[in-house]
Amino acid sequence: MAEVYDRWHLSRPRNGAEPCTEHSSRTRTLVPSSEHGQGKRWQVRYRDDSGEQRKENFEKKAAADARAAEVETDLNRGQHIDRAAGRETFRSRAEDWRTSAIHRERTEGRVERTLRLHLYPTFGARGMASIKRSEVQTWVKSQASRYEPSTVGSHFEVLSTVMRMAVLDGVIRLNPCEGVKLPEKRSNLVIPHPLAVQALIQAAPIRYRALVRLAASSGLRQGELFGLEEGLDFLRRKVEASQQLVTPDKGLQYLGPLKTPESYREVPLAPSAVTAVSLHMAEFPPVSAEIEDRTDPLAPKTRGARLVFTDEHGRPIRRSTWSRVWKALKEAANKALDARYAEAHAKWERLGKPEGAEPERVRVPEKCTLHSLRDFYASCLIEKNASVKVVQVRLGHSKPSITLDKYTGLWPTGEDTTADAIESVLGEVPQQPVSEPSALVVPSQPGRGVRSLS
């Protein structure tokens, strides 16, 4: 129950007490308290859902009465929001969530950077209850002017999660992120031309050539490739994804579990990929490297891992090392592609520029990464009429909807196949014979309509 008290006057004055000379009441004699004239006069007192007593002060009795009625209603509905909790800063609430939530290590680093660089400068010192939807929308617009839509969405998801948890904890009533419009995501697929993929393979240093071919032939993620150990099933021509090499922002590399349960999979390999990997292992036999194994989070251990792909010193490949290697091989691949085009173009000119035979200029896309070879692999499966489910399983996506959302533009549209599908079932419609006019109906004449014969 919420009740309103007069702080300036005693609720149970002793007999004969001196009445107040400044205030009066029609219902009782007012006797000044020790707090008379200090602060706000009217106080709402109640016990919250946890049984703790709360007090809120107001200048006017009407405001105190309204607040008491509001608190009483919220308590009865189980929807009470503590105003003091709503004044807690966003930074304090976000840090509580960040340190208590369960994240993968790389996700934990991304969340920390997002809060520190993108959310705390704007919302860090603000009280949770003071943040409005319009302010969140303004922040999103500012973010969209500097970052890609997918990056804005990632930053917004962190903000929305903190606010959602605050709602569940009873700190705020509504999530100010609800109804905020995000910038439309553009497709960020970078799928290199088959000739560009071949050029990348040929341009790769011999130590990494099989790695590049395997990436294009299996769709494995970068961490899955770097964490691949010896024991590949060459006889069945399959590669098993069962762990990944994790390189955190801080600390040492380690072997960790895969992204989702669906990421654990076997992928069939083309004969050329099997040959390339077997030749690589003959040229660079795996050696035991001491590394922490966290594939079982409950029983981490340090062991000697015999990785298939390592750097020039036989150590696990770091992201920084691979960035330098990838940049150099992209440049070498484009140089080879330019030379190939120049030769083909000169030959075309010598032949008198025959129509329809002009060579196509191919280059490695500027934003092409090792992950782009995963998208290339998916595009090859789709081009050969693989179903959504098959592509999902091969890529290790947790749900078919993820596969469809990402690659929907690569599957043929309904107009490409539905007409042929119906035609194959129904076939050609046979010609119907022309029927004779009915004996009960005669053709209509202008102005007379149709009449039945009697």
Side-chain angles (χ1 to χ4, degrees), residues 7-173:
R7 293 180 56 250
W8 290 0
H9 302 95
L10 298 174
S11 57
R12 296 185 180 88
R14 67 180 185 278
N15 293 330
E18 191 73 22
C20 181
T21 58
E22 297 183 35
H23 306 94
S24 61
S25 171
R26 295 179 181 178
T27 58
R28 66 188 181 96
T29 301
L30 300 180
V31 175
S33 69
S34 60
E35 297 179 327
H36 188 276
Q38 300 175 19
K40 298 176 181 178
R41 178 177 176 180
W42 302 100
Q43 185 174 84
V44 177
R45 299 179 188 173
Y46 60 93
R47 292 190 179 277
D48 61 19
D49 294 327
S50 64
E52 185 175 349
Q53 188 177 61
R54 302 290 183 180
K55 299 177 181 179
E56 299 177 22
N57 297 335
F58 298 85
E59 296 279 2
K60 303 292 184 180
K61 187 174 187 302
D65 288 337
R67 175 57 179 164
E70 179 186 14
V71 169
E72 189 74 22
T73 300
D74 289 345
L75 287 172
N76 290 335
R77 293 176 177 176
Q79 298 177 345
H80 172 65
I81 300 296
D82 181 14
R83 286 188 172 182
R87 290 193 290 271
E88 180 184 8
T89 65
F90 176 83
R91 181 190 295 271
S92 174
R93 174 58 49 172
E95 284 300 302
D96 285 346
W97 165 74
R98 182 183 68 81
T99 55
S100 62
I102 300 175
H103 297 300
R104 292 190 299 272
E105 188 160 348
R106 289 185 63 180
T107 302
E108 185 174 340
R110 177 180 61 80
V111 167
E112 188 278 330
R113 287 193 303 274
T114 298
L115 289 169
R116 174 168 47 86
L117 299 177
H118 303 285
L119 294 176
Y120 289 162
T122 302
F123 301 114
R126 296 283 302 278
M128 292 294 294
S130 72
I131 299 174
K132 300 177 181 178
R133 181 184 291 121
S134 59
E135 294 174 313
V136 175
Q137 186 68 72
T138 301
W139 173 81
V140 167
K141 183 177 180 180
S142 173
Q143 287 270 304
S145 67
R146 292 179 288 168
Y147 304 104
E148 290 290 326
S150 59
T151 303
V152 177
S154 177
H155 297 168
F156 176 80
E157 180 60 29
V158 174
L159 172 62
S160 182
T161 301
V162 175
M163 291 299 184
R164 187 163 57 247
M165 295 304 296
V167 172
L168 294 176
D169 288 343
V171 175
I172 54 177
R173 191 185 304 278

Side-chain angles (χ1 to χ4, degrees), residues 373-419:
L373 299 186
R374 176 173 162 85
D375 295 334
F376 167 81
Y377 171 78
S379 72
C380 291
L381 298 187
I382 294 169
E383 186 179 355
K384 297 303 180 181
N385 298 318
S387 67
V388 175
K389 185 63 179 177
V390 168
V391 178
Q392 175 216 342
V393 171
R394 293 292 178 261
L395 294 178
H397 287 158
S398 59
K399 296 181 292 186
S401 59
I402 295 175
T403 308
L404 192 58
D405 286 345
K406 186 169 186 179
Y407 300 113
T408 185
L410 301 183
W411 268 282
T413 59
E415 292 80 4
D416 293 332
T417 59
T418 53

